[in-house]
Amino acid sequence: MISGAGDTIEIAQWLTQYGITCATYHGGMEKSLREKNQQIWMSNQVRLMVATNAFGMGIDKPDVKLVI
């Protein structure tokens, strides 16, 4: 279970090592960085978003295939 900032960062770093582009999103981030990361994900500049439940359920992105 991703429970906080450290987990999102650690998982994102691990994924990046294996060539999977991703961004992070958690409640402890500066608002501007959260918005930037959400935008790069929405515009498909990164493949995955590693997030806590702060990311929310209101994402309207038609190509989302799985939320874990």
Side-chain angles (χ1 to χ4, degrees):
M1 173 185 230
I2 298 175
S3 60
D7 290 341
T8 60
I9 294 166
E10 184 178 332
I11 291 168
Q13 289 172 341
W14 185 85
L15 290 167
T16 300
Q17 288 177 345
Y18 290 93
I20 300 170
T21 58
C22 58
T24 58
Y25 191 107
H26 58 81
M29 298 172 75
E30 293 289 326
K31 182 180 178 184
S32 61
L33 182 55
R34 282 195 317 264
E35 290 172 351
K36 174 186 171 244
N37 285 357
Q38 183 173 341
Q39 183 55 41
I40 65 173
W41 178 72
M42 292 291 291
S43 64
N44 296 317
Q45 294 176 47
V46 296
R47 183 173 172 187
L48 297 174
M49 179 65 78
V50 181
T52 62
N53 61 358
F55 193 53
M57 297 299 293
I59 301 301
D60 185 15
K61 188 168 189 278
D63 60 348
V64 172
K65 306 236 185 309
L66 181 65
V67 175
I68 300 172

